[in-house]
Amino acid sequence: MNGRVARIELRRSVAPWAGALVPVFALALLYLIPGPWAWDNVRWTEQWTSLAMWTRSLLVFLWPLVLGLGALQGLRDHRSAMGELLTSTPRPAWHRAATLTGTIALTLVAGFALLIVVGGAQVLAGGAYQHLGWLPISLVAALALIAAAVLGMGLGRTLPSPLTPPALTVAAFVLTNLLRTAEGPAIPSPAAPNRLVLLSPAVSQVREVLLTLSTSVHLGQTLWLLGLAATGFALLAAATRRGRLFAVAPVLAGSVLALLVLPSDPRRTYVVDTAAAAMVCEGRVCVTKLHEARLHDLAGPGEKALRLLHGALGDRAPAAIRESTGLRDLLDTPERSRTAVLVDFGDGAIGKAKGEELTRALLGQGLAPACAPRSEREGGSMSDIVAQDIAAAWVLGDLKPLHGTAQDPDRQTARALPVWKRFRALPPAERRARIDAVREAALACGDSGALDQLPGGASR
C-alpha cells in the first residue's frame, strides 16, 4: 500500500474517525466521569499494569463501537452500487480488502498508542516501578480493536443493511457486559465457564495491583482474536457464496485453539506478578518492589512505631512492618499477622498519611489489625477505626482520629471519646489487659469485635 492509496482511503473511509474515537472516548471517560480508575492505589496512572488493565477494561465500550464503525465501512460498496463493477476488474478483491483493513488498523493502533502515551507519561512522572510485564496486555487490546474493525467490515459487506451497524454494536455491547458481570472483581470466580468469559476482549476492574494476566490468557485471546480478524478479512474479500462459507473456518479454528489454551480455573487467569511482589526492605520495614518509591516515607515512622509497640507489648510486639500481599476478593477479610504489622496502601489511613500521622496509623494497625472486609473498610467500618484510635492513644497518651479514612474525623472523635474516658479511668494493669483483649479479638476476627473489648465500646 503506497502513500497515495493510503491518503485516499483515509479520506474515503471511517479510519480517521475510528482512530480518533479510541483516545477521545477513553480519555473523556477516565477524566470526566468519577470511577474506580481514579482511586489512589489503583489509579489508572499509578502503575504500568494498572494503566494497561484499566485501558483494556474500557474495551467493554470501545470494542462494540469500533465493531459498529467497521460494519458501517463495510456498507460502502453496497451504498455506492459498485459491487458488480469491482468484481469485473482484474485486481484481486483481497488487494482492496488489505488496503482498507491496513489503513483502519494503523489508525486504531495510533489512537490506542496515544492513549497509552498520555497515561504512561503520568506513570513515569510518578516514579512508578518500571517493567514490561504490562506490554502484552496492551498489545492484545490493540489486536482486539483491529479484529473488531475488520470483523465489522466483513459482516457489513456480507449483510448490507442499514440496520447491521447498530445491531452489531448493541449485540456486542450486551455480550461483553454479560461476560464481564460473570467475572469476579479481584480473584475471579465467574458464574459462566472461565474459558467462555475469557473470550471477551475486556478485562475486569483493577482491585489488586499485584495481579496480572497469565501467559496462557494472552496466548488464548490472541488466537481467538486472530481468528475473528481472519474471518472478517475473508468475508470482506469474498466474491462468492462459497467464499463466504469458507470464511467461517478461521474463527472456528481460532475458537477451538483458544478454548484449548485458555485456563479453565479462574485462579489461573489472574496471577501474582512475582517480580512486582518481591520485598524491598529498609531495616525492619519492607514493601513490595511495586511500591518501592513509598519505602523512604514509611521507614522512619515505621521504625518509630515498632519501638513504641515493643515498649508497650514487650516480646509479644510485632517485629517488622511489611506490605500485605495476600490476595482477597472484595468481601474477604484482610490478612492479619501476630509477628508483623501488615500495611495496605489502599487503606487511606496508611496510604495517605506521613510523619506522626503515619506512626499513629501504624500503631493502630499493629495493636488492632483491621478486621472488616475491604468494602466496609473503605465505606466506613467505624468500630475498626475507633478501636485503632483508642489503641494508638493508649501508647501515645492523647486521642486523635485517624485521617484518610472514609469516616469523618469528628464522627470518629464523637464515637471514641466516651470510650476513651472510661478506658483511661481504669487501673494501668486493667488497661493493658483490655488492649491485649482488643488485639486478640482483632486477630481472631470473630463475632466479638475489637471495640467490644473496651468499656462502653460494645456495638450499638
Side-chain angles (χ1 to χ4, degrees):
M1 180 175 63
N2 58 43
R4 179 173 174 274
V5 174
R7 288 192 297 272
I8 292 174
E9 285 295 349
L10 284 174
R11 291 196 303 268
R12 298 175 61 232
S13 71
V14 299
W17 299 102
L21 170 72
V22 173
V24 171
F25 182 89
L27 292 173
L29 185 65
L30 291 169
Y31 282 115
L32 300 180
I33 300 179
W37 47 81
W39 293 353
D40 285 341
N41 197 42
V42 294
R43 190 170 58 247
W44 76 285
T45 55
E46 181 73 14
Q47 301 287 345
W48 284 106
T49 301
S50 298
L51 168 66
M53 296 287 275
W54 276 122
T55 51
R56 176 81 178 271
S57 72
L58 295 181
L59 292 188
V60 73
F61 306 108
L62 293 173
W63 203 82
L65 291 174
V66 172
L67 181 69
L69 282 175
L72 183 64
Q73 177 62 47
L75 298 178
R76 181 174 67 179
D77 292 350
H78 177 75
R79 292 198 310 267
S80 59
M82 294 178 57
E84 185 176 351
L85 174 63
L86 292 173
T87 56
S88 65
T89 60
R91 186 184 182 190
W94 69 268
H95 280 192
R96 295 182 61 251
T99 300
L100 180 58
T101 56
T103 304
I104 290 185
L106 287 174
T107 59
L108 285 171
V109 170
F112 190 74
L114 178 60
L115 174 63
I116 297 298
V117 167
V118 171
Q122 297 174 75
V123 174
L124 286 172
Y129 167 57
Q130 303 301 317
H131 64 104
L132 294 177
W134 61 274
L135 196 54
I137 303 172
S138 294
L139 289 176
V140 173
L143 176 60
L145 292 173
I146 295 172
V150 177
L151 180 65
M153 288 187 291
L155 292 174
R157 185 172 186 272
T158 304
L159 304 170
S161 167
L163 298 178
T164 299
L168 284 177
T169 301
V170 172
F173 182 75
V174 171
L175 180 60
T176 53
N177 273 278
L178 285 175
L179 293 176
R180 185 184 189 186
T181 56
E183 187 177 16
I187 304 175
S189 52
N194 191 60
R195 290 190 175 104
L196 183 61
V197 170
L198 291 176
L199 294 181
S200 170
V203 297
S204 63
Q205 296 181 356
V206 180
R207 298 289 186 182
E208 294 284 353
V209 293
L210 291 175
L211 288 180
T212 188
L213 291 170
S214 63
T215 302
S216 59
V217 173
H218 296 317
L219 179 58
Q221 291 180 336
T222 298
L223 292 171
W224 162 243
L225 293 170
L226 286 174
L228 285 179
T231 288
F233 184 83
L235 288 173
L236 188 62
T240 64
R241 182 174 298 179
R242 176 179 294 183
R244 296 188 184 97
L245 289 176
F246 281 121
V248 182
V251 72
L252 293 178
S255 61
V256 170
L257 292 174
L259 292 174
L260 290 174
V261 173
L262 291 170
S264 59
D265 183 0
R267 305 245 168 193
R268 292 173 52 209
T269 300
Y270 292 84
V271 296
V272 175
D273 186 337
T274 53
M279 287 293 168
V280 180
C281 300
E282 186 173 321
R284 297 179 292 172
V285 180
C286 300
V287 299
T288 61
K289 185 72 174 176
L290 187 72
H291 290 132
E292 186 177 6
R294 293 178 177 260
L295 180 57
H296 179 72
D297 291 335
L298 181 65
E303 288 289 350
K304 182 178 180 179
L306 289 174
R307 290 194 299 270
L308 291 171
L309 284 170
H310 186 270
L313 299 178
D315 293 339
R316 298 172 58 194
I321 293 175
R322 66 175 176 86
E323 183 179 352
S324 173
T325 56
L327 301 179
R328 60 183 182 276
D329 210 338
L330 195 61
L331 298 179
D332 290 345
T333 56
E335 184 183 10
R336 299 173 306 286
S337 172
R338 292 183 180 274
T339 59
V341 179
L342 301 182
V343 298
D344 180 357
F345 291 114
D347 181 350
I350 292 174
K352 297 179 180 179
K354 292 186 178 181
E356 294 300 322
E357 283 190 4
L358 181 54
T359 298
R360 183 178 292 271
L362 292 171
L363 283 172
Q365 179 67 7
L367 292 168
C371 180
R374 172 172 291 185
S375 60
E376 293 182 21
R377 179 70 176 164
E378 292 180 350
S381 175
M382 178 65 85
S383 296
D384 270 7
I385 296 171
V386 170
Q388 291 186 352
D389 286 342
I390 295 173
W394 173 66
V395 177
L396 298 173
D398 60 330
L399 178 67
K400 290 183 179 180
L402 293 177
H403 293 274
T405 69
Q407 290 292 346
D408 180 71
D410 292 336
R411 289 188 60 205
Q412 289 184 50
T413 302
R415 180 72 176 91
L417 191 57
V419 182
W420 171 243
K421 289 180 178 178
R422 297 181 65 176
F423 174 76
R424 287 190 65 187
L426 298 174
E430 177 68 12
R431 277 180 275 174
R432 167 63 187 270
R434 292 294 185 117
I435 291 296
D436 287 341
V438 165
R439 189 161 187 260
E440 289 301 319
L443 289 168
C445 201
D447 295 333
S448 180
L451 189 60
D452 296 339
Q453 312 307 315
L454 297 173
S459 300
R460 58 184 181 183

